[in-house]
Amino acid sequence: MRARPAGYGRIALPGGRSLLVHRRSLAVAVGLLGVAFLVAIATLTTGPYKISPGRIARILAGDRTGTEAYLLLEQRLPRVVAAAAVGACLAASGAIFQTTSRNPLGSPDLIGFTTGAATGGILIILLAGEGSQSALVAGTFFGGFAAATAVMLIGRAGAGTGQRLIVGGIAVAAMLSSTNDYLISRAEIEAAEKVKAWQHGSLNAVSWQAVVPLAVAAAVLVPAALACSRDLRFLELGEEAAAGVGVSIGRARTLAMCMGVFLAAVAVATAGPIGFVALVAPQLSRRLARSPGIAILPAMATGAVLLMCSDFLAQRLLSPFQIPVGLVTGVLGGVYLAWLLLGAERRGGWESGPRRTAATVRRGHPLTRTLRSSRRPPRRP
């Protein structure tokens, strides 16, 4: 039987298989889910029209009469569920892209993937009018995938370096942002206003019609992302080390890119392009969990809490008026990015951050034992 790395445990799965789990990461994820539950209770009970927890329990138990039941079931509850699911999807997407690029700035909203998804969504809204949620998801996915392909090609032209990927992504994002502005300027007034409101990133008018496809997509994509995390852990150790244990580099990167783009696309289709959650959540979760490798589950819980708290502020800061949640996350993300840059300067330059992270991952990674054993020559009889 293989020895478990320190701080890790195994969870038994059907079929005699087991899953290696970082104990602190699991504890952090459970704790953040408790915080998300408290934020959900605060969102459901407060507001211009207050609803007591007892009344919420009776409504959920089947008492659907009165204005309170309508407000809870048709407005507040779908908004809370959408905020949690969108935040989790964005955080998982950010964790995947930061791992594949090996750069803390490798976030889908910063390197153009979210902007490309927004371009696809804008085209669907302008061409199809109201359209359907499935058409909007398809448009955002193809737009995000096209942007991701362009960024990956630029990064590959620079020997696949993470910094080249980031700079190329910022350039692609700038071009796509200009394209989006041009499309809005050429649209009719009504369509332009609708697109502009959606482009800010908002949960103000979300309904169960948008939440159900999001929940179905998340139920499929989240387990798939967790299944891809094994190859991503090896990729964190470097391409040579990953290839040494039999990981197909091209296949693993392509699958991870598709998974990250689809997660970002369903989030953008539901709430519009909400910035900085995908950038901030994976880094905060890694600091909380102290995980040496990728930690998708804590990142998802962190993203859910961040977006739920941001949406709570968006609803209550100027009550009874509501502002787009993307404006709140933009402010929080800007503060985080400034703190990240100042921290990089104190460490002696921006490039030292990712290199030190990679070195730390190599030393403390639970798969380092596997890599060493795979390189050890076989014993002679």
Side-chain angles (χ1 to χ4, degrees):
M1 180 181 295
R2 294 180 180 177
R4 290 195 300 266
Y8 283 76
R10 291 189 180 274
I11 298 178
L13 298 176
R17 306 181 66 181
S18 62
L19 179 65
L20 189 66
V21 177
H22 189 246
R23 294 192 185 96
R24 184 179 174 92
S25 297
L26 185 61
V28 167
V30 173
L32 288 172
L33 289 178
V35 175
F37 178 77
L38 295 178
V39 176
I41 294 298
T43 304
L44 296 176
T45 55
T46 61
Y49 197 102
K50 294 179 174 55
I51 305 176
S52 65
R55 178 59 177 153
I56 291 177
R58 290 193 297 272
I59 293 173
L60 295 178
D63 183 5
R64 307 297 171 84
T65 59
T67 305
E68 295 174 337
Y70 173 79
L71 289 175
L72 178 68
L73 298 177
E74 300 300 329
Q75 293 187 8
R76 295 184 183 179
L77 190 58
R79 183 164 182 166
V80 167
V81 175
V86 169
C89 289
L90 289 175
S93 178
I96 290 173
F97 285 121
Q98 288 178 8
T99 300
T100 54
S101 65
R102 298 175 67 187
N103 194 306
L105 293 181
S107 171
D109 52 353
L110 199 63
I111 58 178
F113 302 165
T114 301
T115 311
T119 304
I122 289 173
L123 288 174
I124 292 296
I125 293 174
L126 295 181
L127 295 177
E130 292 293 330
S132 63
Q133 190 66 21
S134 58
L136 192 59
V137 171
T140 54
F141 173 73
F142 284 113
F145 189 79
T149 303
V151 173
M152 290 296 180
L153 290 175
I154 294 174
R156 184 173 298 178
T161 60
Q163 291 187 0
R164 177 106 179 190
L165 193 74
I166 301 302
V167 175
I170 293 174
V172 170
M175 291 186 289
L176 289 174
S177 179
S178 299
T179 302
N180 295 345
D181 292 339
Y182 174 77
L183 291 174
I184 295 174
S185 68
R186 304 301 298 176
E188 299 291 337
I189 296 297
E190 295 79 5
E193 290 179 352
K194 180 180 179 181
V195 170
K196 202 64 179 178
W198 178 81
Q199 195 180 21
H200 283 306
S202 176
L203 295 168
N204 292 347
V206 72
S207 63
W208 290 116
Q209 183 181 2
V211 172
V212 172
L214 171 66
V216 172
V220 175
L221 293 173
V222 169
L226 293 175
C228 291
S229 61
R230 177 183 177 275
D231 288 344
L232 292 177
R233 290 190 185 102
F234 280 116
L235 287 176
E236 280 187 313
L237 302 175
E239 293 186 359
E240 294 181 1
V245 294
V247 175
S248 176
I249 305 299
R251 177 177 174 273
R253 286 188 182 278
T254 302
L255 287 177
M257 184 187 72
C258 292
M259 201 68 60
V261 170
F262 214 157
L263 284 165
V266 296
V268 172
T270 303
I274 298 176
F276 288 105
V277 174
L279 172 69
V280 175
Q283 295 299 315
L284 289 181
S285 65
R286 179 169 289 190
R287 285 168 171 78
L288 290 173
R290 299 177 186 174
S291 173
I294 182 174
I296 292 183
L297 196 61
M300 292 173 56
T302 305
V305 171
L306 280 177
L307 193 55
M308 291 175 69
C309 292
S310 299
D311 189 52
F312 179 79
L313 293 176
Q315 295 180 64
R316 303 292 182 260
L317 283 177
L318 300 178
S319 181
F321 302 102
Q322 298 184 5
I323 60 178
V325 67
L327 300 181
V328 179
T329 60
V331 172
L332 298 178
V335 172
Y336 169 79
L337 191 58
W339 172 79
L340 193 66
L341 292 172
L342 292 175
E345 286 188 3
R346 287 195 299 268
R347 290 193 297 267
W350 173 249
E351 293 186 5
S352 63
R355 290 176 182 173
R356 177 152 46 197
T357 301
T360 304
V361 167
R362 289 193 187 97
R363 288 195 300 269
H365 205 284
L367 299 177
T368 305
R369 186 193 306 271
T370 304
L371 293 172
R372 290 172 180 168
S373 62
S374 65
R375 295 170 180 169
R376 191 178 300 152
R379 295 183 180 179
R380 294 182 177 179

